[in-house]
Amino acid sequence: MDLSFSPEIETFRARVRHWFETEFPKDIIQKYKAGLPLTTAEVRQSEMALGSKGWLATAWPAEYGGPGWGIEEQYVFDEELERAGVPTVTPMGVVYVGPVIYTFGSEAQKARWLPGIRDGSVGWAQGYSEPGAGSDLASLQFSAKLENGTYTLNGHKIWTSAAQHADWIFLLARTSQEEKKQQGISFICCPIDAPGVTVKPIITIDGNHVLNEVFFEDVKVPEENRIGEAGMGWTYSQYLLGFERTSYARIGGKRAMLRHIREVASATPDGGGASLIEDAGFARRLTAAEMAVDGLEMTVFRILSALAQGGSPGDAASTVKILATSTHQQITELMVDAAGAFAQPHFSFWASQNDPGGSPGRDMATYFAGRAQSIYGGTNEIQRTIIARKVLNL
Ligand SMILES: Cc1cc2nc3c(=O)[nH]c(=O)nc-3n(C[C@H](O)[C@H](O)[C@H](O)COP(=O)(O)OP(=O)(O)OC[C@H]3O[C@@H](n4cnc5c(N)ncnc54)[C@H](O)[C@@H]3O)c2cc1C
């Protein structure tokens, strides 16, 4: 089987690489590579740089402003983006809500929201989870009451990634009480600076501020902020989750981490002696991780081909989610082992702030952040249940 790309795709790769090396803001890459948190202005700058080139909404159909790339161009582009050290695109707008808007939204909603998502000037957050509704998301209590064309929103969302950088939040809200709890949920968009919205940070074990709690107290939004039909939010949310779960693959980033580990493990220790790569057990684990990335890549290709034929990622996205996140954890465990005794004493928020070279302080933070991957987007236990029920029909 020949898995190499055609000369045309390799020319495309060279063009993308050249643009990242010469045109993309260098200070943003430097800061991101050093593991330092970006400000809201820097997040916008980074995404608008891609958007101005038409390279942000890379998977969107051409009729909504996508670049009209095939799956190979999209794949190579993602690889080059990660290779260059460009910050990961905040997925909540372009990967999650964008496809929901162009698939289920009205013409007015498409005209209102798609341009700002496509050019990177408007940030979005995802308001699904609540303190009592995570895996069992359909138990959500967040309420939206409609009166005279206006919804009044009340409730508490939690684990809301990047809400501190967002202009809008899309919400799953209960708009009616039905016998089946998946019914009666609607998909509603709200400006994050609307009166009555409060965003509070949650600092995670890696020392970073990515997560937030968002409180809503009698927040008013017009009925036209609801996407699609009332009570159909569950259907739209599941459609969105297919895109979310497929987006975790990040093959280029995984390959970059593996290269980094090989480099660190091949160095002669300060005191002399054998390098870690000469340890058969470590070398075997590293090779197993490299093979796992190859396997993941094949699975992603299969899903991308289905997408190219007009499908949605569907339940197969659960397979990618499990493979991608467990491989990421496998890799970050190797990273910490390669950093050896230096990993623990070097880990602190300030160490990663003051260590622009990256490792090992940053490796430890990457390891901690990676623990969350098997939780968000629906935990891996839940994905296994989806595979058992829907893919294997057990
Ligand atoms: C870093 C991070 C970012 C996130 N970003 C967002 C975001 O932007 N927006 C958003 O809405 N949410 C976000 N989340 C929330 C995430 O989707 C939830 O944490 C996740 O769905 C799990 O819900 P929970 O935390 O309530 O855990 P629970 O549902 O309470 O689960 C606890 C444990 O029990 C297991 N479990 C639960 N039910 C079952 C079952 N039926 N069978 C087997 N095992 C089960 C789970 O697998 C898990 O191990 C984020 C979470 C993290 C960690």
Side-chain angles (χ1 to χ4, degrees), residues 120-327:
S121 59
V122 179
W124 286 75
Q126 176 187 37
Y128 278 19
S129 306
E130 297 176 17
S135 300
D136 185 14
L137 186 60
S139 294
L140 61 92
Q141 296 299 315
F142 190 97
S143 106
K145 288 210 167 72
L146 183 64
E147 221 173 44
N148 302 325
T150 298
Y151 280 114
T152 303
L153 310 178
N154 277 292
H156 176 187
K157 295 290 180 183
I158 193 165
W159 316 122
T160 320
S161 303
Q164 76 274 29
H165 301 311
D167 303 290
W168 284 83
I169 181 166
F170 56 91
L171 299 155
L172 288 185
R174 195 159 290 289
T175 40
S176 63
Q177 296 293 336
E178 309 291 337
E179 209 168 296
K180 199 165 174 249
K181 59 187 180 183
Q182 283 80 2
Q183 292 168 348
I185 293 174
S186 298
F187 196 106
I188 297 174
C189 303
C190 175
I192 207 125
D193 62 354
V197 180
T198 310
V199 179
K200 288 194 177 161
I202 301 174
I203 306 300
T204 38
I205 190 172
D206 57 357
N208 285 328
H209 173 201
V210 173
L211 298 179
N212 302 275
E213 293 183 88
V214 191
F215 298 88
F216 294 74
E217 211 178 329
D218 288 331
V219 177
K220 309 279 182 199
V221 294
E223 190 178 1
E224 61 256 28
N225 283 17
R226 187 193 68 234
I227 295 182
E229 288 174 48
M232 288 295 288
W234 186 256
T235 306
Y236 311 144
S237 74
Q238 297 308 298
Y239 174 82
L240 181 154
L241 281 170
F243 288 92
E244 174 170 348
R245 289 168 186 158
T246 312
S247 73
Y248 294 143
R250 306 201 54 208
I251 308 285
K254 289 184 177 54
R255 292 214 193 280
M257 286 196 282
L258 287 167
R259 279 196 297 274
H260 166 69
I261 294 167
R262 263 202 185 276
E263 210 176 290
V264 172
S266 301
T268 308
D270 278 352
S275 67
L276 188 58
I277 205 77
E278 291 168 66
D279 177 290
F282 185 85
R284 198 166 34 242
R285 286 170 58 213
L286 183 53
T287 307
E290 286 164 347
M291 287 166 65
V293 173
D294 290 342
L296 172 65
E297 190 172 39
M298 290 300 105
T299 310
V300 171
F301 279 149
R302 275 204 299 273
I303 293 193
L304 289 178
S305 329
L307 280 177
Q309 282 150 32
S312 78
D315 300 320
S318 296
T319 315
V320 171
K321 210 259 153 168
I322 294 175
L323 280 177
T325 57
S326 56
T327 307

Side-chain angles (χ1 to χ4, degrees), residues 1-14:
M1 191 166 43
D2 180 11
L3 291 172
S4 52
F5 290 108
S6 67
E8 291 75 27
I9 295 292
E10 289 305 338
T11 307
F12 169 81
R13 182 195 293 283

Side-chain angles (χ1 to χ4, degrees), residues 100-101 104-115 187 189 223-228:
V100 171
I101 295 170
F104 302 106
S106 65
E107 290 309 314
Q109 289 171 335
K110 290 179 203 172
R112 179 180 185 196
W113 285 317
L114 293 183
F187 196 106
C189 303
E223 190 178 1
E224 61 256 28
N225 283 17
R226 187 193 68 234
I227 295 182

